[in-house]
Amino acid sequence: MKAVTDRPQLSEKKQRSRPLLPAKAVAVLCTACFFVGLLISSGVSILPADNRMRMTSSSSTTTTISSCESKNPLSQRDCERKRRLGEEGNPRDIVGEVSKTHKALEALDKSISKLETELAAARMTSNVGASSGSRKGLKKAFVVVGINTAFSSKKRREAVRATWMPTGSKLRRLEEEKGVVVRFVIGHSGTAEGALDRAIDAEEAETKDFLRLEHLEGYHELSAKTRVYFATAVSIWDADFYVKVDDDVHLNLGMLTATLAQYRTKPRVYIGCMKSGPVLYQKDVKYHEPEFWKFGDEGNKYFRHATGQMYAISKDLASYISTNGPILHKYANEDVSLGSWLIGLEVQHIDDRRMCCGTPPDCEWKAEAGTLCVASFDWPCSGVCKPAERMKSVHAICGEGDGAIWNVNL
């Protein structure tokens, strides 16, 4: 009986110790729990992609609304722009906004460039105005005609005085009534108070028609002389125009004055016979340019500039040369130098072929055709050939008449 009674008890113990789940199921469940915990601890969302985008958009909107509550006007404008972009949402609209912004920036750049140009012009005008204000005590004139001359050119000066240039009381009257100032322009010799300077002093005491410059005379110093001439003339006369002419050129003052009067309202004009000759790089030739390499390869030509026998510039340009003289570069040829000083400015270049007529019969034919010349000379001589002997004959044929200058209406 005892043995029978113990069996059921053993069977019950075995049933109690049997696992509730199979071992494989427990392992799978543990592994799954491990990965779920890992996902939760790493912060990786297991939401669907659409839900994640909604949550991100909601978070961004919350942040934007928070920043838009700021009282900063810049932040509010930025937020408003973001709202518009968010509401529109269309990629094409965003591209359109970018295009509009690009165009606005281009317009802004153009406006800035225009303002810079206007500012530069205003600065130049103000400088001229300031210099004009400081020149209130200067003599008023319409034009100052500077006749470039040398110590050895007394016979040339006498020929000019005997033909197209008034002398004595007529010269003073021309200045007072017409505002036309005519002077021979010369500097000093290398010997202080030497014989050359004393000869000019004596001639000046008799004729009173010189403008003396603080300049050392020399053939290779013509560019410097031109610069000093304009600076000196500007410091004495407040004129509308300043003219440079050589003492071997025949000039009709009436025609010159009438021609310049046409450009009186123009702010910056440069008048003469414009040319563009070859840059002479060969040594030992007349008009050789030592700095030929600055103008490009051999065989190149100069930029457009007025021929050196005669040219005119307006007040603003003469004032510019006077103000900036120390930093204006001097080339071998003075007409090239002047052209280089003006080539980079807002200047109107006026090519007037009446300022470079030939001597008879050229100027005679033009006068008969109704085109009276302003200036006449011979190109091969860069002036009237043998001016001391021929100036009177040229004047007799090509001159405008002694009364012409007095009939010009300014």
Side-chain angles (χ1 to χ4, degrees):
M1 287 293 296
K2 188 175 181 178
V4 174
T5 304
D6 291 339
R7 275 178 196 168
Q9 293 178 355
L10 292 171
S11 175
E12 185 178 352
K13 288 179 181 180
K14 289 180 181 179
Q15 290 178 354
R16 290 177 181 174
S17 63
R18 184 180 296 173
L20 297 177
L21 293 173
K24 291 184 178 180
V26 172
V28 171
L29 181 61
C30 289
T31 303
C33 291
F34 171 78
F35 281 110
V36 170
L38 182 64
L39 290 172
I40 293 173
S41 64
S42 63
V44 177
S45 176
I46 58 175
L47 292 175
D50 292 343
N51 291 339
R52 288 203 303 269
M53 290 179 65
R54 290 193 189 98
M55 291 182 66
T56 303
S57 175
S58 176
S59 175
S60 176
T61 302
T62 303
T63 305
T64 302
I65 293 172
S66 176
S67 63
C68 288
E69 291 176 355
S70 171
K71 295 183 179 180
N72 189 338
L74 296 176
S75 298
Q76 291 177 355
R77 285 198 295 269
D78 186 55
C79 290
E80 182 62 27
R81 183 178 63 81
K82 289 181 178 179
R83 282 199 193 99
R84 288 200 303 269
L85 291 175
E87 291 171 0
E88 293 170 357
N90 192 332
R92 293 182 179 178
D93 295 334
I94 295 175
V95 172
E97 289 292 329
V98 172
S99 178
K100 290 179 182 178
T101 303
H102 182 67
K103 291 180 179 179
L105 290 174
E106 286 183 343
L108 182 61
D109 287 341
K110 291 180 180 179
S111 299
I112 292 174
S113 177
K114 182 179 180 181
L115 288 173
E116 288 176 344
T117 302
E118 292 176 353
L119 179 62
R123 188 181 294 115
M124 181 176 178
T125 303
S126 65
N127 290 339
V128 173
S131 63
S132 298
S134 63
R135 295 161 54 198
K136 289 182 179 179
L138 302 184
K139 302 174 184 178
K140 284 292 295 181
F142 173 68
V143 58
V144 176
V145 180
I147 309 172
N148 187 38
T149 192
F151 291 112
S152 60
S153 299
K154 184 175 182 179
K155 289 185 177 180
R156 291 187 180 186
R157 293 191 291 272
E158 290 175 347
V160 169
R161 294 186 185 109
T163 53
W164 60 265
M165 176 182 176
T167 58
S169 60
K170 289 184 179 180
L171 186 64
R172 305 293 169 259
R173 180 188 164 201
L174 183 65
E175 187 172 332
E176 294 170 1
E177 296 184 10
K178 293 296 182 180
V180 179
V181 179
V182 185
R183 295 287 189 276
F184 287 105
V185 178
I186 195 168
H188 298 276
S189 68
T191 304
E193 298 182 357
L196 296 176
D197 291 296
R198 291 199 303 270
I200 294 296
D201 291 339
E203 191 175 344
E204 159 66 7
E206 180 182 353
T207 61
K208 301 187 185 308
D209 56 7
F210 279 91
L211 173 63
R212 301 300 298 273
L213 306 178
E214 290 300 324
H215 166 75
L216 182 63
E217 285 289 326
Y219 179 78
H220 296 292
E221 297 297 327
L222 291 178
S223 293
K225 184 176 182 178
T226 300
R227 190 181 67 187
V228 175
Y229 158 61
F230 285 123
T232 305
V234 163
S235 69
I236 300 174
W237 293 280
D238 182 15
D240 293 325
F241 297 95
Y242 298 84
V243 172
K244 177 262 179 181
V245 60
D246 289 338
D247 61 6
D248 56 354
V249 171
H250 179 269
L251 185 65
N252 282 323
L253 283 173
M255 279 301 300
L256 170 66
T257 306
T259 299
L260 295 179
Q262 300 175 20
Y263 306 103
R264 199 169 193 172
T265 60
K266 303 293 184 180
R268 294 174 295 277
V269 292
Y270 173 32
I271 312 171
C273 288
M274 299 296 164
K275 66 174 184 177
S276 180
V279 181
L280 300 179
Y281 59 89
Q282 304 94 336
K283 293 183 178 180
D284 302 324
V285 299
K286 192 176 183 181
Y287 308 126
H288 166 65
E289 179 59 73
E291 296 181 274
F292 62 89
W293 59 273
K294 289 185 177 181
F295 299 93
D297 298 330
E298 295 180 359
N300 278 5
K301 292 184 176 182
Y302 288 114
F303 41 77
R304 290 285 174 183
H305 62 280
T307 184
Q309 286 83 359
M310 180 196 173
Y311 46 75
I313 60 175
S314 56
K315 179 196 299 186
D316 286 2
L317 300 183
S319 298
Y320 170 82
I321 293 172
S322 175
T323 302
N324 299 284
I327 59 172
L328 296 178
H329 186 69
K330 303 183 297 294
Y331 290 101
N333 302 297
E334 54 99 5
D335 53 352
V336 173
S337 294
L338 178 66
S340 71
W341 302 338
L342 306 181
I343 194 69
L345 306 180
E346 285 294 336
V347 175
Q348 182 178 357
H349 288 58
I350 298 173
D351 183 20
D352 193 330
R353 310 313 291 183
R354 294 174 299 175
M355 292 187 175
C356 55
C357 296
T359 57
D362 181 47
C363 58
E364 182 180 12
W365 292 340
K366 290 179 179 177
E368 292 175 353
T371 306
L372 197 62
C373 293
V374 174
S376 302
F377 56 89
D378 300 306
W379 282 104
C381 299
S382 297
V384 175
C385 296
K386 299 181 179 179
E389 293 82 12
R390 295 184 61 235
M391 190 66 74
K392 287 185 179 181
S393 63
V394 173
H395 181 68
I397 298 174
C398 300
E400 61 190 352
D402 295 338
I405 182 62
W406 307 105
N407 297 324
V408 176
N409 185 13
L410 296 176

